Amino acid sequence: MPTSEPVRLLVVDDEPHIADLVATVARYEGWQAVTAGSGQAALSRAAEFGPDIVVLDLMLPDLDGFTVLDRLRENGNAVPVVFLTAKDATADRIAGLTRGGDDYLVKPFSVEELMARLRAVLRRSSGVAHQPEARGAVLRVGDLTLDEDTREVRRGERLAELTPTEYELLRYLMRRSPAVLTKAQILDHVWEYDFGGRSNVVELVISHLRRKVDAGDGEPLIHTVRGVGYVVRPAHR
């Protein structure tokens, strides 16, 4: 996404006052923003508008947010998606991240926090997060490799398809390996804003990373150090 062009935001919510509020704040930031009040309208808007990022409510009058996301991905649209939902059960959050969402925010919410999350997801998606320390290296831990130029992650010969958030979290853990990183360090580096104590997002993304990186491929490489945090390293270390 060229830096000279404004960010294109699609806000999908069946409550017009919420959609209009988010769109108005985004326009104040210099973004282009359009809204949709249903799942079908969201798919049409996405095809016409070509958004750089989407705010997507889960509960819509026709298609639910998960179905909208699935159809976007089936159509080859990899646009980053931030869920905005009144459903705060852990199962819903895991489902959102598992289905390819990049972040979630539970209603009622702060518009300032939402905008901070959108900016952080955009940085991760464009591959420019923490640009000063970018080295273009191939990181290796055991048989796990991460190529910072191509953004490809492989466990042995198997390619692991990661979301931008999963990629940035794994990249951070591999760069700091074998150091153990706390939740606070991970939140500060990967999300770049204060979650206000709702750090269970780290556990959710770590859980999904394990399914993509560790499952069925020999010894696990992503470890939890109880009471401290997380580390990527061979099991024997």
Side-chain angles (χ1 to χ4, degrees):
M1 182 179 60
T3 56
S4 59
E5 295 181 3
V7 173
R8 296 183 302 277
L9 170 67
L10 171 59
V11 186
V12 185
D13 200 298
D14 63 343
E15 298 181 72
H17 67 284
I18 291 179
D20 291 341
L21 172 62
V22 175
T24 298
V25 172
R27 292 178 189 127
Y28 182 79
E29 295 272 337
W31 296 11
Q32 294 178 1
V34 298
T35 64
S38 68
Q40 292 289 0
L43 293 171
S44 296
R45 282 285 199 173
E48 298 164 359
F49 183 56
D52 298 307
I53 192 164
V54 176
V55 173
L56 180 58
D57 190 9
L58 276 183
M59 294 182 287
L60 298 168
D62 50 359
L63 308 175
D64 64 30
F66 291 148
T67 302
V68 172
L69 178 59
D70 288 345
R71 293 194 181 177
L72 286 171
R73 299 297 185 247
E74 288 167 4
N75 293 334
N77 192 334
V79 63
V81 170
V82 173
F83 283 115
L84 182 61
T85 176
K87 301 173 73 173
D88 64 351
T90 298
D92 294 318
R93 301 182 188 198
I94 292 174
L97 293 170
T98 301
R99 299 281 274 270
D102 293 279
D103 205 346
Y104 64 85
L105 187 61
V106 177
K107 298 176 181 178
F109 67 99
S110 157
V111 179
E112 292 80 6
E113 182 179 2
L114 174 60
M115 292 303 298
R117 293 182 184 222
L118 292 174
R119 286 190 289 267
V121 169
L122 283 168
R123 285 192 291 271
R124 295 197 296 272
S125 300
S126 61
V128 299
H130 307 284
Q131 193 67 30
E133 65 178 43
R135 293 191 289 269
V138 176
L139 307 179
R140 291 184 174 85
V141 177
D143 64 347
L144 176 64
T145 61
L146 182 151
D147 190 315
E148 294 183 319
D149 287 329
T150 65
R151 297 176 70 86
E152 285 189 348
V153 175
R154 293 183 180 275
R155 183 74 194 269
E157 296 300 317
R158 179 177 59 83
L159 183 66
E161 298 287 349
L162 306 184
T163 67
T165 301
E166 292 163 355
Y167 172 87
E168 191 63 31
L169 175 51
L170 182 63
R171 177 173 175 257
Y172 183 43
L173 287 170
M174 291 182 71
R175 277 190 166 185
R176 297 293 302 276
S177 178
V180 179
L181 302 178
T182 67
K183 289 181 188 176
Q185 287 176 302
I186 292 170
L187 285 170
D188 182 63
H189 183 94
V190 177
W191 278 267
E192 302 178 11
Y193 54 82
D194 182 5
F195 257 85
R198 295 184 296 280
S199 60
N200 62 328
V201 69
V202 177
E203 285 97 325
L204 296 182
V205 179
I206 287 285
S207 174
H208 201 41
L209 263 179
R210 282 182 168 131
R211 287 196 291 272
K212 292 185 175 183
V213 170
D214 280 345
D217 290 286
E219 67 173 10
L221 296 175
I222 302 173
H223 306 281
T224 301
V225 179
R226 190 174 300 276
V228 183
Y230 302 95
V231 60
V232 171
R233 66 188 178 201
H236 61 273
R237 295 198 60 161

